Amino acid sequence: MAYKIAIDPGHGGRDPGAVYEGRQEKDDNLDLALAVGQILEDSGIDVVYTRVEDVYNTPFEKATMANNSGADLFVSFHRNAMPTPGSASGAEVLVYEDEGLPAEVARSVLAELAEAGFTDRGVIERKNLVVLRRTQMPAVLLEVGFIDNTEDNQLFDGAFDQIAQGIAEGILDATGMGAPQQAVPAQAMPSQEMLSPVMPQQEMPSMEAPLSLEAENVPAQGAETLYRVQVGAYRDSTYAYDMLNQLLAAGFPAFIIYEDNLYHVQVGAFARLENAIRMERTLREAGYNTYITT
């Protein structure tokens, strides 16, 4: 049976990830993930994707997709950012625990990214990320340079093929799957329609578990009253998306509503007030300042 790798292009759809001067992380993630995935496929690896186009799924759903696929390894693609643009650069790899196959894949990939020109920022344990905590197979999350750093972006664009080839080679070396095939020229890459995303084979949990934004049930005008838990309201969308991503990474069904010139970060949409109260209590226990709104 072929070795199977689940490829996760981070963010997507209404969640752009980090944004800098019009450049959106979700687009870089998808481009690089598809390129690496194609190299792995050409090397005989069975590759499945959490997305192959600009769509959104929660981190919990992505972990579920990977689990249902029976993958042997989960690789999530991201780019980094700092509160002060340009204040950091380089590549790092996040793991649940710095041991075993994730540690080997992380260091192997970082060595290849350093060869391509990125500063090696090391392996970092992150136990609060859903895609590392909820996946049932070894998992790594790649931060391929800082999207708010001009030099990192120039490197990402200028050495794109080398970066994709290096990541694939790092994965194959660490897993013992052999040397990868050379990168396919861009014009020969398959269209997104040719790649099939992994879809969950079981029903998603109830509202008390993480849901996708598509299932958040934010009330339309004229709909019945639904109770939502507000975690913050910001004039600057950057801070709102930082909070959104933090909540999503923790497994909460969060979303943003733009109203009265503010970005309102909210969680859940409940027909019963007691369910909203239960969610607010959970959020408060996790350290968030909250109140219930409709």
Side-chain angles (χ1 to χ4, degrees), residues 46-212:
D46 186 1
V47 177
V48 292
Y49 301 84
T50 61
R51 70 180 178 102
V52 295
E53 55 189 0
D54 190 19
V55 297
Y56 177 81
N57 293 104
T58 67
F60 182 83
E61 287 176 318
K62 291 182 175 188
T64 300
M65 292 177 188
N67 293 339
N68 287 339
S69 77
D72 301 293
L73 176 68
F74 179 91
V75 183
S76 188
F77 287 76
H78 288 260
R79 300 203 64 206
N80 227 328
M82 292 290 285
T84 303
S87 60
S89 66
E92 60 192 35
V93 179
L94 310 184
V95 297
Y96 184 78
E97 290 183 332
D98 188 8
E99 60 182 32
L101 183 60
E104 294 178 21
V105 171
R107 286 174 172 78
S108 183
V109 168
L110 282 172
E112 295 293 338
L113 291 175
E115 185 70 22
F118 284 110
T119 299
D120 183 347
R121 292 171 55 90
V123 181
I124 300 171
E125 288 190 350
R126 289 288 297 275
K127 295 184 181 295
N128 64 331
L129 295 182
V130 172
V131 294
L132 299 180
R133 188 177 74 244
R134 295 292 187 92
T135 42
Q136 297 170 357
M137 71 290 297
V140 296
L141 188 152
L142 313 181
E143 295 277 13
V144 187
F146 282 73
I147 199 170
D148 58 2
N149 183 290
T150 301
E151 280 108 15
D152 276 11
N153 285 338
Q154 291 173 344
L155 179 59
F156 186 93
D157 295 334
F160 183 87
D161 289 344
Q162 181 183 353
I163 292 166
Q165 188 75 27
I167 292 173
E169 186 167 342
I171 291 170
L172 292 171
D173 284 348
T175 56
M177 291 295 108
Q181 299 295 318
Q182 290 299 307
V184 179
Q187 63 269 22
M189 290 290 287
S191 67
Q192 292 183 4
E193 287 74 26
M194 294 175 64
L195 300 174
S196 299
V198 183
M199 298 304 294
Q201 298 172 358
Q202 61 190 45
E203 294 184 4
M204 293 302 296
S206 68
M207 191 63 188
E208 306 311 323
L211 296 176
S212 71

Side-chain angles (χ1 to χ4, degrees), residues 33-34 95 102 119 145 214 226 258 270 275 293:
L34 291 176
V95 297
T119 299
E214 284 76 9
L226 295 178
Y258 185 70
F270 303 92
N275 290 335
T293 185

